[in-house]
Structure formats: C-alpha cells, structure tokens
Amino acid sequence: MLTFVAQRVVKGVIVLLAIVVLNFFLIRLAPGDPAVVMAGEAGASDQVFVKQLREKFGLDKPLPEQLFIYVKGVVSLDLGFSFRQQAPVAKLIGERLPATLLLTLTAFAISLMLGILFGTFAARFAGTFLDTAITVFALIFYAMPIFWVALMGILLFSVTFDWLPSFGYDTVGGNYTGLAHVVDVARHLVMPGMTLGLFFMATYTRMTRASMLEVKRLDFVKTARAKGLADSVIQRRHVLRNALLPVVTLAGVHSGTLIGGAVITETVFAWPGIGRLMYDALLQRDYNLLLGVFVICSAMVLIFNLITDLVYRLVDPRIEFAS
Amino acid sequence: MPKRVLLGLLLACGLTAPTLAQEPKAGGVINAVIQPEPPGLMLAMIQNGPTQMVSGNIFEGLLRYSPKLEPQPELAESWSVSEDAKTYTFKLKKGVTWHDGKPFTAADVLFSMEMLKQTHARARTNLAQVDRVEAPDDYTVVFTLKQPFGPFLGIFEVGSMPIVPKHLYEGTDFKTNAYNNAPVGTGPFMFKEWQKGSFIRLVKNPNYHEKGKPYLDEIYWQIIPDAAARSVAFETGKVDVLPGGSVENFDVPRLSKLKDTCVTGAGWEFFSPLAWLWLNNRQGPLADKRVRQAIMYAIDRDFAKDVIWNGLGKVATGPSASTIKYYTDDVKKYPYDPAKAKALLKEAGYKGEKIRLMPLAYGETWQRWGEAVKQNLQDVGMNIETIATDVAGGNQKIGDWDYDIAFTYLYQYGDPALGVGRNYISSNIAKGQVFNNVEGYSNPEIDKLFAEGAVATPDSKRKEIYEKAQKILVEDVPVAWMLELQFPTITRCKVKNLITTGIGVNDGFKDAWLDK
C-alpha cells in the first residue's frame, strides 16, 4: 500500500506542475491586463502609471521568464504575491481556507448523509409514493439554480421569519466567544450549508437509489434472502455496502471540487471563502492569486482522488492496490 | 412613480433645515456596506473607490470641498494666493496628531508630496504644475507653481492628495511598509480590525482635532459581494448605510419605501460622474460627424434617466457636468428626435454597416441601459451588435481601439482642467490608454483651448475659454454624452449629517451622528 501511495504522490506532483504550466498560459489567453484594471480603479490610466505597475509586478518580463519565476516559486512552496491585494498569495488563501472548508465540508456531509439516507429509502420503497416524493424533492433542489434557492432561503428565513442571518460568517460586532461564538457561526452556516448540500444531495440520492436497485437484483441478495436473513440486514450489509462504490466515486469527484466549487453560495451569503477570492481574482486578472487558488484546488482534487482509491479498498476488500 | 417617491423621500428625510438644526448626539455604531472589498487601505498607494470610502475616515487632505465645490479647511486652516497666482500659502492647523500620538507638521505635507509623486498617478499629474514646495515653519507650507494653474485649489481633497505620516514612511519600501495594513492617519476614525471577506472596523479617534467630533463610536464596513444580498442586509436592519452604487437601481424604489429609510443623491458634486458612449472616431460610419450627431438624436436619454436610473441624475448637455466650474448649457441641443437621426444617417450615406456596442460590465443597470440604447439605435436603422465582456476584457478592447461604441462613465473632479479636457485633447491619444481620449478625437483648436484654459487668469478668462470649448465639442460629438449620474445613498433616517460635502461618503463620517 505504501508503494501505491508513493507512486500516486509522485504522479500527482507531475500532474500538478503540468496544471500550473497549462493554467499559467490559459489565464494569459483571456483578454485584459491586470495593470490596466488597477490603473482604472485608481482613476488614472496614464502610460507611466501602467508601465510602473507592469514593472512592479514583473509583467514586463518575457512570458517564459515569468513562467520560470512562477514555477520556481511553486516548487519552493511560494505561491507569489497578489498584485491587487498587495499580500502574499499563500497568506490570502490561508485566511479564507478555513471558512471555505467549514462550508463545503458541512455541505458535503449534509449531501452525503441525506443523499444516502433518502436513496436507501427510495430504493427500499421503490415504486411507492415515498419513492416518488423523495425523487421529486431531490430533483427540485437539483434543478433549481443555487443562487435562486439561496435568495429564496434568505427571503423566507431572514426577511420573512427573521430566524437566520442572511449573510456573513458570524455576527459583525457580536464579539462572541467560546460556545456562543460556535452557535453564532453555526446559525450563519445553516443556510449556505443547506443550499449547497441540498444541491449535491440529489445526485447522491439518485445514485444510491439506482445502484441499490441494481444490486438488489443480483444473485447473492437472493441467496441472502434464501438463507432467511432479516430484510434490514440484507439492505444494510449486502445491498447498501455493494451499492456504495459508485457513490464513493461520485463523492471523491465532489470532494475534490470542495475548495473552488462554492463561488455562488459564498457570493450570495457573503461567506468569506476561497470561491469569492477566486472570482474577484478572475475579474481583476490577479494572475498570481488566481493561479494560487488553481494550484490549491488541483492539489485537493489529486489528494481526494487518492483518498477515494483508499476508501474503495475499505468498502470493497476485493479491490487491490495495483502497484 | 419612482420619481415621485424619491422626491418625496428626499424632501421628507434629506438634508432639510430641521434636520441640520438638530443638536448632534454622540455615540453609536454605524454599519455601512463597502463594495467591492478594497484591496488595501493605504490611500496614498491605492486610489480606487472603496479604498477612499473607508480611508477617507482615516486620512485627511489639506482641504475639503462644499457641495458647491468651495474649498473648506481640513488640515489647512487657511490659505492665500499670491497676486501672480503662482504662490499658494497654506497655514496648517496646530494641535493635530497622528493616530499614534505624534504631532502633524509641515514636514508631513512635504514628505507626502514626494511620496505621492511616486505612488499616486492623479497626484503626480496635478503636482506636475508645482515648481517647489517649501515649509518656512512647522505650520506653513508654500507651493510655488511653474505657471498659474486655475484648478490648483481643487486638488487637495483626501483622495486626490492624502497626507501621510512621514515618521512611519520615510526611508521605507512603501510597497511593503507594515503600516499599509494598519494605516495611521490624522482622520476622525482609526483603523482597528479587518477580517478579510467580512468587515473592516474603524473606531473613534478620541484625540481628533475638531473638538467633539466625530460623534460615532465605531464604523463597521461590511463586505457583501452580492447586490441582492446587500439589499436584504439593509432590509433586515443589518446595515444602516448603502453608499451610492451598492444596490442595483431597480431595488432603489423598493428600498426607498421601507420604513425609516432616507435617500439622497447628494455627495457626488466633486466627482460629478458623467456617463457617455465612446464613439470610435477613427473608422467606419462613426468617423462621420453626422452619424455621431444622429446617435445623439436617436437615444432617448430621458427614458434612461427616468426608467433605468429611477429618475436620479440629469440628462447631459455636453462634456461638462452641470455641477462643475464653467459649465454652460448654451450649446447645441440634442433632444430625442429619431426622425432627425434617420435624416442625418441618410445624409451621411450610412448603409447598414455593422456597429459593435459594448455595454459596461458593472451589473444589471448597465446591461439594461445597453439594451435600451441598442433598441434606440436599431429604431433609426442602425445595425447594432452587442459585445459582451467583463470589465478587464472591455478595457482591453477599448485600449486596443477595437470597438465602435462603448459605455463608460468618468469623474470630473470639479474643474475642466482636471476631469474634462483629458478626454478630448489629442496628446492623450495612445494605444493601451483606457480612459482618456480613446475615441481618437483630434482638433487643434480644442487642444489649444484646454491648454490655455488650465493656466489662464483671471477666472472670467477661463470661463470664456471653457465655454467656447464646450460649444465646439457639442457640435463635433466626439463622444455621445448620456447622463450626469447620481448614485443614490440609502440610509436609515436616524443617520444624520452623513453627507455634508461635495465628496459625500468618500469624505469620512466625521459629521455623522445617530438620532437614537
């Protein structure tokens, strides 16, 4: 297993570097010059100022040289300096990472737990009213755009009922500490967490249901029934466990996108996370910051892919690690 | 309807006499929206709108400007001008201290001038007129100009010329100075905390040099990136102040009707944002003056004002906003007249060539305006194709002169020499330039007039020159002037005296108080 992990890590580093190089050029293909954007914001676009900014940020150097400097930095774990925010990229990402992880992991947990639960019920009662109700419920949240669900949530729970805060990570000026702070953050987390979680829940529900129905038809389930095992045991031990493989695959893919996949939710709920940082960086053509976020996101995808492969082994011991 | 509502609210809750007459009460916290999140707060190094809005509370300039753009004391308590209009002497206020307790003196002003020349593009341009700056004593600063410069007294507001602490910046690398992240100024509020992505917190400066001010204890600038969420934040009472441009225009009438809500369009007199369409004078049908004039006649600007901008603002008559010096409306008029537009297009021999229209990527209001203009132009037979971009992409296209018609709006900074001439003088034509004369208009007479206007004395001479320039420009239509914009500031009515100068919410909250 160690050899397997080591091999995957080496491959991952190579892939990561390839991603860095590719993104480096892709970003520069987009029209728009960061120096001009900044000069515009300063209300002054005289050539001297723009030239000064380009020199300051090294944008006047030939592209291969800029790439070399950047890759050299990444190899030594230095993600560079943000032009616009005037701060090291790693620091900016570090400031936002906890909020994003809290949001996306909460959403991930909600979607996975509810998805598997509902999927199991739907499969267990396939063809009944309950199955239809679950399917419709899940599809509604999948079909509706996230920003719409978010805005409707705000309208209902913040404006109409005034139960939950409509934006932010915690109460500004609340100065809560200890448990009160945890409760405060949790209250702020409910709506963004549910909005994002319910969207992904639908896919898990559908996947679990379909997979379970397929497994239920297999011979070993019939054998289990013939052996006289209780239905709950068959469902849990034989059907669900075997049906989980595609769900784990999907979860692996989703978890890789956790960092950058919450842009809309973070924007609507003013959640101070990475998604918003990335979105602003894109609009500002803040190359280093954007690349930095891409590097972190790519690294997360690779790490979660590795974890997914390891989880496969736990779920299905028949799968062996190919060396 | 929205117009009436707004007018009513302005009258009911605006800066009416009884409001001003009330005795200010001390204490309280204001929650205001800041959008987008500023990249930093060091005003001498970063000059974008959000930075000034927050840092206008931390830093100060030598002067402020009334809504009529008359200079008022700030760090300078008085000033005088020599007879030849080349020497300006400022007497600085005594007893002013930086937030760290060190005294503010003329040395800080001298140092700021040197620093700003390196870090502040607009200040550098303005200071190019200055031959030398001297400090005969700790509380006197003398600017000697190379030649008379009419708008000189208009360049000292905090955003254009912030005064920075010499003792914290001298001999340091400005870019990496630690005080960029915890700025120290002389202003009414001190920087306290910045939770990136959430809020910026400023607290009262207890040693502020105007006794009794500021009245507020704290200001929280809340960062809420989505326009709809900002509206909700106001609606649910989480924020008290929505500075101009914080919410989409279509939300303004709805928010205006909320209980205890006040709306004002005041506070934009200094910047006087003027919206227009860049018309690429270099190529195609738009190279013909008659086609450009046809565009002026074809666009229903009253509709844009009343419907898209909810009645706020004013239809522009030419290159100067009516709020800045030497404005005249004694120029050729372009009322909405599609028939005349069609006739002019026919006369110019326009045969349906495709014309690209680029709206401004600043949100829904601008998109809607782009659609309305497209429709107006199509109605008179023009073949319009809309080009969608984001801000950076749009700037690139404009800088490369790769457009036909493009929306923009620019500040005028109170004087034609500061904010008007730059868009029409031919020396500003340069590829890559995004904001000044990107239309490619070149008229030696206009060049001469703006060059003369900047240095002419006395004032009556400047007036004469600028009025002539306005007439020529309006006849030539190098760009299509649309509206003098007003970005409504929406507040709870308990917030008093928020806007007291021509710079509005960008000028700090030192006069603001809460009627609890």
Side-chain angles (χ1 to χ4, degrees), chain B residues 126-388:
Chain B
N126 291 340
L127 289 171
Q129 308 291 337
V130 177
D131 181 38
R132 59 185 187 275
V133 193
E134 292 154 313
D137 62 60
D138 271 0
Y139 295 99
T140 309
V141 178
V142 181
F143 290 83
T144 308
L145 309 190
K146 294 170 186 163
Q147 55 191 339
F149 182 53
F152 192 68
L153 267 185
I155 65 169
F156 291 100
E157 61 93 24
V158 61
S160 307
M161 201 78 82
I163 305 301
V164 293
K166 180 184 177 189
H167 64 285
L168 300 178
Y169 277 86
E170 192 181 32
T172 67
D173 176 1
F174 300 152
K175 194 180 124 198
T176 54
N177 189 306
Y179 290 98
N180 292 347
N181 295 322
V184 172
T186 56
F189 292 90
M190 304 189 295
F191 173 80
K192 182 72 181 175
E193 187 185 5
W194 185 350
Q195 276 193 19
K196 290 280 170 76
S198 291
F199 66 85
I200 299 166
R201 181 182 170 207
L202 307 181
V203 296
K204 178 179 184 160
N205 174 6
N207 304 313
Y208 188 58
H209 52 84
E210 285 184 44
K211 288 292 163 239
K213 289 184 183 176
Y215 303 109
L216 301 168
D217 292 331
E218 292 181 51
I219 307 170
Y220 279 97
W221 292 96
Q222 307 234 22
I223 298 147
I224 308 171
D226 182 64
R230 289 193 287 275
S231 295
V232 169
F234 185 81
E235 223 172 327
T236 52
K238 299 291 186 288
V239 298
D240 313 304
V241 177
L242 292 171
S246 300
V247 293
E248 290 289 0
N249 260 16
F250 50 75
D251 261 347
V252 173
R254 187 175 64 82
L255 294 174
S256 307
K257 286 178 204 154
L258 295 176
K259 204 172 155 238
D260 295 329
T261 299
C262 286
V263 184
T264 176
W268 290 95
E269 296 82 0
F270 178 77
F271 297 110
S272 297
L274 187 67
W276 65 76
L277 305 174
W278 292 119
L279 305 175
N280 196 340
N281 288 207
R282 297 174 189 84
Q283 61 199 24
L286 299 183
D288 190 322
K289 183 170 94 177
R290 289 167 297 185
V291 175
R292 301 199 298 267
Q293 288 177 335
I295 289 173
M296 285 295 281
Y297 285 119
I299 297 172
D300 189 350
R301 295 177 293 162
D302 282 306
F303 168 83
K305 178 179 77 91
D306 293 339
V307 177
I308 296 169
W309 290 89
N310 297 308
L312 284 169
K314 202 172 167 187
V315 171
T317 57
S320 280
S322 58
T323 40
I324 76 162
K325 282 182 185 164
Y326 318 122
Y327 163 81
T328 177
D329 65 354
D330 181 19
V331 290
K332 182 173 178 163
K333 299 288 190 300
Y334 292 94
Y336 175 51
D337 190 343
K340 200 158 187 176
K342 280 181 192 167
L344 276 166
L345 287 174
K346 196 174 169 191
E347 195 187 313
Y350 174 71
K351 292 189 180 61
E353 294 93 328
K354 191 167 76 183
I355 291 170
R356 294 164 298 167
L357 169 71
M358 198 158 69
L360 201 52
Y362 281 177
E364 194 67 26
T365 301
W366 292 89
Q367 294 300 322
R368 289 180 182 200
W369 201 1
E371 284 158 21
V373 164
K374 181 181 182 181
Q375 206 173 327
N376 282 157
L377 296 177
Q378 282 176 332
D379 286 348
V380 297
M382 296 183 87
N383 177 9
I384 303 291
E385 181 194 19
T386 306
I387 306 288

Side-chain angles (χ1 to χ4, degrees), chain B residues 35 43 62 75 88 93 104 117 132 236-237 281 318 327 338 344 347 373 380 405 465-466:
Chain B
Q35 168 58 26
L43 199 48
L62 292 182
L75 286 172
Y88 289 73
K93 206 176 264 185
F104 156 78
K117 275 188 213 165
R132 59 185 187 275
T236 52
N281 288 207
Y327 163 81
L344 276 166
E347 195 187 313
V373 164
V380 297
I405 302 177
I465 292 169
Y466 286 124

Side-chain angles (χ1 to χ4, degrees), chain A residues 32 36-37 40-42 44-47 49 52 56 84-85 95-96 154 167 172-173 267-268 270 272 276 285, chain B residues 37 39 47-48 118 121 175 196-198 220 222-226 229 232-233 238 390 392 396 431 433-435:
Chain A
V36 173
V37 173
E41 286 184 335
S45 73
D46 68 283
Q47 295 295 3
F49 190 52
Q52 211 179 34
K56 192 163 138 190
R84 187 170 184 269
Q85 312 256 9
E95 281 170 353
R96 303 291 185 94
I154 289 173
F167 71 95
V172 172
T267 303
V268 177
R276 263 176 57 196
R285 301 293 188 271
Chain B
E37 183 167 16
Q47 291 92 44
N48 68 17
Q118 295 174 50
K175 194 180 124 198
K196 290 280 170 76
S198 291
Y220 279 97
Q222 307 234 22
I223 298 147
I224 308 171
D226 182 64
V232 169
K238 299 291 186 288
D390 66 354
Q396 175 104 36
K431 229 172 190 171
Q433 183 93 271
V434 179
F435 300 101

